[in-house]
Structures are given as structure tokens and as C-alpha cells.
Amino acid sequence: MSAEYATFALAPAVRAGGFLADGGFEVHRDFLDFVVDGRPLLLLLSDVDAVSPLASDVPPAILTRQVRGLLLDAEAPLPGGRHVLYGCPECEELGCGAVTAVIERQGNDVVWRDFAWQTDQTADLELNGYHGTGPFRFRADAYRAALERLLDGTAVGPRRRVLLVGARPASLTKLAAALRTIGIGADIARDTVAVPAEELRAYGAVVLGGAVTETERAAVRVAFGDSGADAACVDALADVVPLIVAQVEQALDRGPAEHRRLTGLTAAGRTASVTVASACRVRLVAYRLDRLHRTRTHEVFDGALEPGTHRIPLDGNAVKGRAFVVARAAGGVLVAAVAD
């Protein structure tokens, strides 16, 4: 094992939720990712849709237990000194699969080694090991300092909510219900005139419906700016609930671009261009409005992509008229209007 040290840090990350073309949905999760030598560990693994145990919706007692385990102040939850680093974002059951590793002390150092994909109590390193990942040696003092900041119960941070502003209560009610279904809190308001500044600061994004005038949009932006809120402003592209949900998910992902797998999406005519930073599965769904303003949904691509920019053909029927494309990969979502 190399004696070279790796740096250890924690960084906010998002597992984007949303609605799928087959009618199913994925849950939104806010969590802290492990950053090794300046790069999220999750990106060093194969295409894994998973979250760390350090999530914003984990009760304080469970979060403390997870941190104590990573600090080696508690017994490892799995045989052989193995700890769960990433688990299923929907249920977190080991049977769904988890990324695990041995965490151990070596003198004044902490070492993570023998990374594996695990679905039961025993890891098969030969069959399911992440060969070439690790081992990582951390200085124990820096490692402990990063994790101990979580023990006061504030470092992970509260889950952000979304404010929906518009003049069509029925549409906003459907959108709010959809957001809540995937785990994002949502409130509805006609405007922000009577909303206190401290409440505005609790929102991670504000969605402006299509019926909101330019004057009203400007007033909302001023109110959020004056309150000191760090909220993303989302202009709804169309009255299509899954599309707006995807826009919200994109807006809530405030992490740096270098921490993402899915980094670019454009669409024009019958071609979409998708850029990925690391190998991953990408799903591409097109939404269009027909002449009667009904929503038509088409899954146009679902497959593995290597790093780089890829041109993906779009069926003419899928993007006829006013259309939009949503790209999803593990941990991220991007939205683009289809240009003529």
C-alpha cells in the first residue's frame, strides 16, 4: 500500500428526483458526498445511482451513528470492518446494493480500502470489487475534523423548499403535489409581497408560472434579492408538470460543474447533444405540446455513454412543434428547449 496521503473533505450533493416516461418516479435526496483529492468519490465509481449515509433527511440520531461509524468510534455495521459509503436512494436497504469499503486505522492514519458493490452481508471482491479504486490513506486529524463538524446537527443543512408563484392555482397545486411526491417541499403564493424575508431565505428555488407578468417576475426577483436569499429562479418553460419538476431539480443542484457526470445538453431540429464527464447511463425524454395543448411524452434514448459529447437523433414525431428535452443521469438532470 502506498504511503502517499489523499485529502478528505465533504461537499453538498444532490440525487435528482423526478418523473419517468413509464409513469414511475425517483425520490429527491440531498446529501454530503465524500471528496477525495478534490474529486467526489461517487464519480470515481461506475455508474451508480446512490447516496451517502450523510443525508439531510436522516434523523439526527441516525446521522450521529453513521458519523461515529466512519470515525471508527463504533463497530462496523458489516463483517470484516466494512462500512456502507453509498446506498440505495429510495430505500437504503443493503439488498438493493451498496458501495462498501473497509475502513481501518493504521498508526495515525485512516485507510479506506477494498471497495466493492455489495448486496448481502459478504462482499465478493473478485467478482464485485472496484479494482483500481483506492486504497486511500488520510491523515487522521484532518479526516476526523471534517466528519466531527457534522455532530452538531447543522453541517448537513435543512432540506430546501421551493416557492411556486403564479396566477393559476390548479396548475400550481398539481406541481406542488408532484414535487412533494418526490420529496421536495413546495409552497404556493400569488406573489411575494407579504412573505417575510426570513421565509424567503428558506427556499432553494422559486418557480414562476407562465401567467406571471414581466413586472411581477421582476418584483419577485427583487424581493428574493433584498432578503439575501440564495434561491435559483426558474421560469417554467411550459405548463407540463414533469418538465417543470426537472427544471426545479436542475436548479436545486448548486454544486460545481466538475462534480457532475451530466454537464451539457442542447437540442435543435432532430438532434440532441449530450455531454458527460464520466461514463454513465443517460435517459433522454422529450415532451411536446400538441395543437390542443395536451402533453405528449416520448422516451428517445436510454443507454450508456462514454465521456465526451454525443449527438443523439430525435424522432420527428417526438419534437414536432413546441418541444423540450430532459436528460437524466445518476445524480443529475438537465433541461433544454428544442430549437427550430
Side-chain angles (χ1 to χ4, degrees):
M1 179 181 295
S2 171
E4 182 179 352
Y5 287 101
T7 62
F8 179 86
L10 301 170
V14 170
R15 188 271 191 157
F19 291 86
L20 307 178
D22 63 4
F25 67 90
E26 296 176 332
V27 175
H28 173 95
R29 301 291 301 279
D30 296 293
F31 65 100
L32 290 178
D33 198 2
F34 308 109
V35 180
V36 178
D37 284 338
R39 185 171 173 80
L41 180 60
L42 200 54
L43 294 188
L44 300 178
L45 307 172
S46 58
D47 185 25
V48 176
D49 182 16
V51 300
S52 83
L54 310 178
S56 65
D57 54 347
V58 172
I62 296 179
L63 177 64
T64 297
R65 186 170 71 243
Q66 299 287 1
V67 173
R68 292 296 185 195
L70 294 172
L71 287 170
L72 301 179
D73 293 340
E75 185 176 350
L78 297 172
R82 303 192 71 83
H83 296 255
V84 174
L85 301 182
Y86 300 102
C88 173
E90 303 288 342
C91 68
E92 301 183 49
E93 293 292 333
L94 184 61
C96 292
V99 177
T100 69
V102 174
I103 302 179
E104 63 184 9
R105 292 188 182 91
Q106 290 188 4
N108 293 324
D109 304 332
V110 174
V111 173
W112 288 15
R113 62 175 176 85
D114 296 341
F115 291 81
W117 178 255
Q118 193 166 341
T119 56
D120 54 35
Q121 291 293 307
T122 303
D124 187 333
L125 292 179
E126 183 175 350
L127 181 63
N128 296 316
Y130 286 98
H131 307 292
T133 300
F136 301 115
R137 180 181 295 272
F138 307 113
R139 298 184 186 277
D141 53 352
Y143 175 86
R144 177 169 286 274
L147 287 167
E148 284 184 339
R149 286 195 289 270
L150 303 180
L151 296 179
D152 63 4
T154 62
V156 176
R159 174 175 290 182
R160 288 284 191 161
R161 299 178 65 81
V162 176
L163 180 65
L164 312 179
V165 177
R168 297 174 180 169
S171 296
L172 295 180
T173 298
K174 291 180 181 178
L175 177 57
L179 289 168
R180 292 166 187 154
T181 296
I182 66 170
I184 299 176
D187 300 318
I188 298 173
R190 178 62 184 85
D191 53 45
T192 53
V193 173
V195 183
E198 60 269 21
E199 290 188 22
L200 294 180
R201 289 193 290 271
Y203 294 109
V206 54
V207 178
L208 301 174
V212 180
T213 67
E214 288 301 321
T215 300
E216 292 169 332
R217 290 171 191 271
V220 170
R221 291 187 175 93
V222 168
F224 270 88
D226 290 346
S227 73
D230 182 25
C233 188
V234 177
D235 290 300
L237 290 173
D239 191 13
V240 177
V241 169
L243 178 67
I244 304 174
V245 169
Q247 287 188 264
V248 170
E249 288 285 2
Q250 180 177 340
L252 289 177
D253 187 356
R254 310 296 289 276
E258 60 268 22
H259 287 187
R260 303 176 188 174
R261 279 196 172 98
L262 186 61
T263 59
L265 173 67
T266 60
R270 296 190 177 185
T271 303
S273 293
V274 180
T275 303
V276 295
S278 60
C280 60
R281 174 190 177 192
V282 174
R283 288 170 290 176
L284 212 62
V285 177
Y287 298 94
R288 72 176 183 89
L289 297 173
D290 66 16
R291 291 180 299 173
L292 299 178
H293 298 284
R294 295 173 299 191
T295 302
R296 302 299 184 184
T297 304
H298 301 266
E299 185 173 284
V300 296
F301 179 80
D302 185 349
L305 296 179
E306 294 298 316
T309 298
H310 305 265
R311 292 173 60 83
I312 297 175
L314 301 174
D315 185 279
N317 292 327
V319 294
K320 183 179 180 180
R322 191 180 177 202
F324 311 88
V325 175
V326 174
R328 293 186 178 278
V333 58
L334 293 177
V335 181
V338 180
D340 295 333

